[in-house]
Amino acid sequence: MERSVRLLWLLSLAQFLVMQVWFNYSSIIPIIELEWGLSPSQSGFILASFHIGYVLAIIFYSFLITAYNPKYSFVVGAFLAGVSGVVFALFANGFWSALILRTLSGIGVAGIYVPGMKIVAELFPTKKRGRALGIYVGSLVVGSGSSLLISGLFINWIGWQGVILLTSLLSIFAAILILSIRIPSSIRIEGHTLTLTKLRSVFKRKNLLINGGYTGHCWELYAMWSWIGPFFVFYFNNQGYEGETALQLGNTTGALIIIVGGIATYLGGRISDTFGRGQTATAFLLISITCSLVIGWLTFVPIVIMLVVAFIYGFTIVADSPIYNTAISEVTDPELLGIALGIQSVLGFSATIFAPLIFGVILDYYSWGIAFTAIGLVTLLAPICMIFLFKERINKVKTS
């Protein structure tokens, strides 16, 4: 078990470093929009391009490779994410170059998350799997938020190019780190040819309900994560802070709101080990959806009130993340776990293609309040799926 814990933390550290790339573009949106003359809709398209690259690559990693070692998937993915970011910092000069390079970054990051989940799920028994995946997902959360934090702390010193360059170099360092990791022989590293029979087995009713919840969760989460930095820049401008100060305060606050989720994923996974996956996920979803419905309308409230709402939002919106990964591992044949996690990731992250984009389009024409509210209303799909999942398990217990 000691070796499993060590590998978990190495994987988590590597993912933390790679995830600096995820929201480094979000951290510079207010500057880039002015410098390149971009609209919020165009920024939304660039945000969506990252997720398009991610989803397409997940399909490749999960379904089209007949045999691969997840270690080398990590290495190639981290290196591609880092190099495309370096090129962005040095050469990007407008909408199309940003769109292409962010797509490549998404393709790179896809090589990290699902293979790591598969390894962690096989390293730990069911009773400890929720908290283990909570730690792994937590590294994604903290890493993602750290890119906004780096921007908030250093953008006035090193500029937006320096922020992108620094975060991208950390991803390249992660590729080097991953090369030192030895994957235990007990971990199944072979891929599986996707057949109709296997596809049916991972689309059972329970799988569909879990994945429906995950899709709604991802819709809300990545819309919020992508735009929370720019939202707080706007908020602090509205509170009377000027240009550079508002940018620094907004990105730092957005980063801390995301980073608090690193604690939330561990606690969410651990709570679900005790109280059940469906019930725990539903509770967190209902609180985060409430926050989505109200936060965009609070741009006039005092900072203390806004921060209380925002940190509750940041905690609850991600606390259920590891629950869906854990739940799918419990209802799937171990031989098909990689395919099941891949399908879950494709479905969930397909929503993230559209959520940041639609948020940007709504913001272009309406307001922050309407944009956040629209995201929250669609997310209601998730607790509905979780309630049906919980009822199905109760019915199974009664009939057994």
Side-chain angles (χ1 to χ4, degrees):
M1 184 57 68
E2 182 179 343
R3 185 180 179 187
S4 297
V5 172
R6 179 176 178 273
L7 183 55
L8 168 63
W9 284 106
L10 282 172
L11 290 169
S12 298
L13 173 60
Q15 181 173 235
F16 167 83
L17 295 172
V18 176
M19 288 301 155
Q20 305 299 315
V21 172
W22 198 295
F23 290 113
N24 61 3
Y25 175 75
S26 294
S27 71
I28 64 169
I29 284 177
I31 296 176
I32 290 295
E33 286 185 344
L34 289 174
E35 189 171 317
W36 292 350
L38 299 178
S39 67
S41 295
Q42 287 177 308
S43 293
F45 274 108
I46 294 170
L47 288 169
S49 70
F50 180 95
H51 299 287
I52 291 171
Y54 184 97
V55 169
L56 292 176
I58 283 292
I59 295 171
F60 178 75
Y61 285 122
S62 300
F63 303 147
L64 301 183
I65 300 176
T66 57
Y68 67 96
N69 188 323
K71 171 179 176 177
Y72 300 111
S73 167
F74 264 63
V75 172
V76 172
F79 187 74
L80 177 59
V83 168
S84 58
V86 170
V87 174
F88 187 107
L90 298 178
F91 300 108
N93 58 7
F95 174 74
W96 288 108
S97 57
L99 193 77
I100 293 168
L101 290 168
R102 287 298 290 170
T103 302
L104 290 175
S105 292
I107 292 171
V109 172
I112 305 297
Y113 186 51
V114 171
M117 279 197 301
K118 181 176 183 293
I119 293 171
V120 174
E122 292 191 26
L123 282 173
F124 292 88
T126 301
K127 291 183 179 179
K128 295 184 178 179
R129 194 173 294 165
R131 68 192 71 178
L133 283 169
I135 291 171
Y136 182 70
V137 175
S139 72
L140 179 150
V141 175
V142 177
S144 301
S146 294
S147 60
L148 288 176
L149 184 61
I150 288 172
S151 174
L153 294 175
F154 298 114
I155 196 166
N156 291 339
W157 297 349
I158 60 179
W160 72 260
Q161 292 95 337
V163 168
I164 299 294
L165 186 63
L166 176 59
T167 50
S168 301
L169 288 174
L170 291 174
S171 184
I172 294 174
F173 178 75
I176 298 170
L177 174 65
I178 293 163
L179 280 172
S180 68
I181 295 175
R182 181 175 297 176
I183 305 298
S185 58
S186 60
I187 301 297
R188 287 176 284 274
I189 63 171
E190 295 82 11
H192 299 279
T193 303
L194 185 62
T195 65
L196 185 58
T197 302
K198 290 179 179 178
L199 190 60
R200 285 174 180 168
S201 70
V202 294
F203 275 97
K204 295 178 293 187
R205 179 177 170 83
K206 284 184 179 179
N207 293 64
L208 290 174
L209 290 173
I210 293 167
N211 289 340
Y214 183 67
T215 301
H217 157 79
C218 285
W219 169 275
E220 182 185 40
L221 178 64
Y222 283 91
M224 183 272 220
W225 274 3
S226 296
W227 286 101
I228 195 65
F231 170 71
F232 268 97
V233 173
F234 174 86
Y235 173 75
F236 282 111
N237 268 318
N238 218 35
Q239 292 291 312
Y241 295 89
E242 298 185 0
E244 289 186 354
T245 303
L247 183 67
Q248 191 170 42
L249 285 173
N251 278 330
T252 302
T253 304
L256 295 175
I257 290 166
I258 295 174
I259 288 171
V260 73
I263 303 170
T265 57
Y266 173 75
L267 292 177
R270 186 162 188 171
I271 291 169
S272 75
D273 283 341
T274 303
F275 294 101
R277 313 302 180 196
Q279 304 95 303
T280 306
T282 301
F284 286 126
L285 282 165
L286 292 176
I287 298 171
S288 69
I289 290 170
T290 302
C291 292
S292 288
L293 296 177
V294 302
I295 193 169
W297 306 101
L298 302 180
T299 54
F300 61 90
V301 301
I303 293 174
V304 173
I305 295 175
M306 173 60 84
L307 291 180
V308 169
V309 174
F311 277 98
I312 293 172
Y313 195 19
F315 186 95
T316 57
I317 200 170
V318 74
D320 53 329
S321 279
I323 295 174
Y324 307 102
N325 308 141
T326 307
I328 209 72
S329 73
E330 293 171 346
V331 300
T332 303
D333 186 331
E335 180 187 358
L336 302 176
L337 181 57
I339 291 175
L341 287 170
I343 290 173
Q344 183 181 73
S345 194
V346 167
L347 292 173
F349 283 95
S350 292
T352 72
I353 295 173
F354 300 102
L357 170 59
I358 291 173
F359 191 108
V361 171
I362 295 173
L363 184 60
D364 230 0
Y365 290 97
Y366 299 103
S367 67
W368 289 102
I370 293 176
F372 273 110
T373 297
I375 294 301
L377 290 175
V378 174
T379 309
L380 287 169
L381 165 72
I384 292 171
C385 288
M386 292 297 98
I387 290 169
F388 276 109
L389 178 67
F390 178 60
K391 287 183 176 179
E392 179 162 308
R393 289 186 172 177
I394 289 177
N395 291 336
K396 185 178 179 181
V397 171
K398 287 181 178 178
T399 57
S400 60

